[in-house]
Amino acid sequence: MPKIRPITFDPSGSYIDQNGITQEQVSQLASRMEEIRDEVLKTDLKLYVSGDIPADKIPLDAGFLEMPERLLDAYQTDRAASELGQILETASRLQQEVDRVVVLGIGGSYMGARALMETCCQPYFNEFTRAQRGGRPRMYFEGNNVDNDWTQGLLNLLASDKNQPWSIIVISKSGGTLETAVNFRRFLDELKGEVGADRLGDLVVPVTGETGKLASLADTIGCQSRFLVPPGVGGRFSVFSAVGLLPAAMLGIDVVTLLESAAAMNDHFRNAAPGDNVVLDYVAVNYLLEKERGCHTRVLSAWSKSLESVGLWYDQLLAESLGKHELGALPLTVVNTRDLHSRAQQHQEGRRDKVMNNLIVDSWRTDPIAVGTSEWNEDELNEISDRTIPDIMSAAIRGTNLAYKEDFRSTTNIHLPAADETALGQLFQMFMLATVVEGRLLGINPYGQPGVEKYKKNMNQLLREPVTT
Ligand code: PA5
């Protein structure tokens, strides 16, 4: 395994006199954090494997925990037959056959894939030519809403150039989610109209449970490639299954490095002591700020546009996992410096109910762009002409943290060496582990989302009522 540059967590911006916490408080929590790590790694995994799960732990979707190692081991043993090998094979087949792919799914069934695309692919990926995209297809996400104009918009786009073949990846663990199902019906119909029913089996790839409505539909269509959302892996914990890996592989994202990096985070979580453990420390600091200082709003400040969807993925993970029993912090993703011009006023002077967790990329993919000199110096930028856009970003990060510190407002820094597969593999796994650890600390089952079922039930019932004119 190549050496993995670790992501790091620096909580020092929360060790402040007023409104913050102390390092001592974090140290006092260390033994409790170790107990919870044991519960997650030993007790929960044992119960999960045995299938004999006590009522207060149901559901126990602990399958995500060792999924990276499981997939990599199987790949090492038998590349072609392994699930990862099949994912790569299908991705490569479709890359050759199509130039566009529509990924249908909602919530945990699409947010990870979108985050992978936006972080690991070049900005404006879909706008480039096929050669500039390295022969990878353009990717569009739908089935994550019931928005007539956007569904029609994508159908129009696909129909506007019949010379660009396309395919569908449809992702739904339950196989019955209405938003995804309705969109699948419409896009399937459009594709059938273009290529004929006989070709659908090649061009439609479902990722779903062993049984269910989508699984049955896939049988009828005769899908030649199909993948499982593994049992015991919840939607928002499924990014390292085919749910995230198949779209990522189609985009040419290095899924092996992604999984190796997630496995490296597992190693770190298992072995590093509290105080040096990014998972345990992130939880301890955020938990204490909420408990002791009322920081119920957890702002994830992404200092790169490429990380916005990672933030939205985390919003969903935290909200659906811990927003139960009238508890759980409110996650809020902001992208800076953009949102300093929309939210900073409130974060600087509003209620003291927030912690700012900065997500900072340490090196940019492209060469630094200098401000440069200009014969038109009305903007007075010649005096900083040798500064670069990364210099300005660094100054903004330091300046913002300083402003919060001066007003005794807590910050932490999560550093990513780069916005790439290595960092994202670690970060996704870190956040999933942290969410489960925090759930256990709060006495909340992080798995399942019983509250979401209520709207679904009502919506389905209303749709089946007779239409009144
Ligand atoms: O995290 C979850 O489990 C949810 O967000 C689901 O992913 C989401 O509701 C979609 O469900 P499904 O994959 O069954 O269509």
Side-chain angles (χ1 to χ4, degrees):
M1 198 185 287
K3 186 150 173 40
I4 286 171
R5 283 196 296 162
I7 64 173
T8 58
F9 176 64
D10 172 11
S12 54
S14 292
Y15 301 151
I16 46 178
D17 288 345
Q18 301 167 35
N19 305 311
I21 52 170
T22 62
Q23 218 163 340
E24 205 191 344
Q25 284 174 305
V26 178
S27 305
Q28 280 165 0
L29 204 58
S31 58
R32 181 75 189 113
M33 298 307 293
E34 285 181 306
E35 277 169 22
I36 290 173
R37 175 169 58 184
D38 281 353
E39 179 180 352
V40 170
L41 289 176
K42 295 182 185 153
T43 319
D44 284 359
L45 270 183
K46 216 159 147 192
L47 290 170
Y48 170 72
V49 172
S50 76
D52 189 12
I53 301 163
D56 64 330
K57 289 238 175 191
I58 293 176
L60 179 59
D61 288 340
F64 85 93
L65 256 155
E66 294 182 331
M67 194 155 56
E69 290 89 339
R70 249 197 336 270
L71 285 170
L72 287 168
D73 285 352
Y75 185 60
Q76 241 96 69
T77 310
D78 185 347
R79 288 206 169 193
S82 69
E83 187 177 3
L84 190 53
Q86 295 290 312
I87 289 173
L88 290 167
E89 202 271 324
T90 302
S92 142
R93 174 176 69 78
L94 286 176
Q95 278 168 357
Q96 286 160 37
E97 289 184 27
V98 302
D99 198 49
R100 299 173 291 183
V101 58
V102 176
V103 177
L104 302 174
I106 193 166
S109 286
Y110 96 104
M111 299 184 90
R114 184 168 146 200
L116 281 163
M117 178 179 182
E118 290 185 12
T119 305
C120 298
C121 296
Q122 59 178 319
Y124 305 107
F125 177 86
N126 279 347
E127 310 300 319
F128 285 100
T129 63
R130 187 169 173 89
Q132 287 165 327
R133 283 180 273 120
R136 278 84 188 225
R138 299 184 164 97
M139 188 166 281
Y140 303 96
F141 294 95
E142 250 312 330
N144 52 37
N145 212 322
V146 274
D147 182 316
N148 206 63
D149 295 349
W150 280 76
T151 295
Q152 189 58 56
L154 185 52
L155 287 168
N156 290 347
L157 182 71
L158 295 166
S160 68
D161 189 350
K162 302 273 188 212
N163 293 322
Q164 288 187 8
W166 56 281
S167 66
I168 300 173
I169 298 177
V170 52
I171 308 172
S172 175
K173 179 172 172 158
S174 62
T177 302
L178 191 63
E179 289 89 336
T180 306
V182 168
N183 277 281
F184 182 43
R185 180 174 280 215
R186 296 305 348 133
F187 282 90
L188 187 66
D189 198 48
E190 180 71 21
L191 189 58
K192 182 162 151 256
E194 279 188 34
V195 300
D198 292 350
R199 286 278 288 133
L200 291 180
D202 293 337
L203 296 176
V204 175
V205 184
V207 183
T208 188
E210 267 164 15
T211 55
K213 293 173 188 162
L214 179 56
S216 307
L217 202 46
D219 290 340
T220 306
I221 295 166
C223 297
Q224 60 159 290
S225 308
R226 54 199 283 182
F227 295 94
L228 264 189
V229 186
V233 176
R236 57 192 175 275
F237 293 91
S238 68
V239 62
F240 293 131
S241 72
V243 172
L245 297 178
L246 178 62
M250 287 206 63
L251 291 165
I253 291 171
D254 181 349
V255 293
V256 172
T257 297
L258 194 69
L259 291 170
E260 285 175 346
S261 306
M265 178 52 68
N266 275 344
D267 266 357
H268 169 80
F269 172 60
R270 279 183 208 110
N271 299 314
D276 282 316
N277 189 309
V278 295
V279 177
L280 299 179
D281 299 350
Y282 172 82
V283 175
V285 168
N286 279 278
Y287 165 80
L288 284 169
L289 282 165
E290 188 174 357
K291 183 165 165 272
E292 305 296 333
R293 298 296 187 184
C295 292
H296 300 295
T297 301
R298 204 166 291 176
V299 180
L300 190 71
S301 291
W303 294 88
S304 162
K305 290 187 183 191
S306 302
L307 295 172
E308 179 160 26
S309 288
V310 172
L312 296 178
W313 170 88
Y314 180 56
D315 283 358
Q316 189 232 359
L317 177 69
L318 190 63
E320 271 199 347
S321 301
L322 304 188
K324 294 165 186 164
H325 313 301
E326 304 185 5
L327 291 173
L330 172 71
L332 172 68
T333 287
V334 301
V335 177
N336 290 335
T337 66
R338 183 189 76 191
D339 296 342
L340 293 176
H341 296 256
S342 62
R343 293 189 184 272
Q345 170 59 39
Q346 187 179 40
H347 294 175
Q348 184 72 52
E349 294 185 350
R351 281 203 187 97
R352 292 184 179 279
D353 59 355
K354 298 168 198 70
V355 48
M356 262 51 87
N357 289 307
N358 294 301
L359 202 51
I360 301 168
V361 178
D362 288 338
S363 64
W364 300 90
R365 204 176 291 154
T366 49
D367 291 339
I369 301 171
V371 173
T373 48
S374 170
E375 60 188 296
W376 301 304
N377 194 33
E378 282 76 1
D379 53 15
E380 298 177 4
L381 291 179
N382 279 351
E383 59 194 77
I384 58 162
S385 62
D386 58 341
R387 295 301 195 146
T388 64
I389 290 183
D391 290 336
I392 300 171
M393 180 62 97
S394 298
I397 296 170
R398 285 171 51 210
T400 307
N401 269 356
L402 187 62
Y404 291 143
K405 189 174 179 188
E406 283 170 354
D407 197 46
F408 306 104
R409 289 171 186 263
S410 292
T411 59
T412 75
N413 292 341
I414 300 168
H415 283 273
L416 310 185
D420 61 9
E421 289 89 338
T422 309
L424 218 46
Q426 294 176 75
L427 188 70
F428 278 142
Q429 193 72 5
M430 170 196 159
F431 277 148
M432 290 190 283
L433 291 167
T435 303
V436 172
V437 167
E438 188 172 353
R440 297 299 182 219
L441 186 60
L442 293 168
I444 294 173
N445 186 344
Y447 305 113
Q449 58 284 339
V452 185
E453 300 309 315
K454 294 187 180 159
Y455 103 86
K456 288 191 200 168
K457 193 169 143 259
N458 290 345
M459 176 173 69
N460 277 301
Q461 201 172 318
L462 289 167
L463 281 167
R464 279 158 180 80
E465 281 175 4
V467 181
T468 48
T469 47

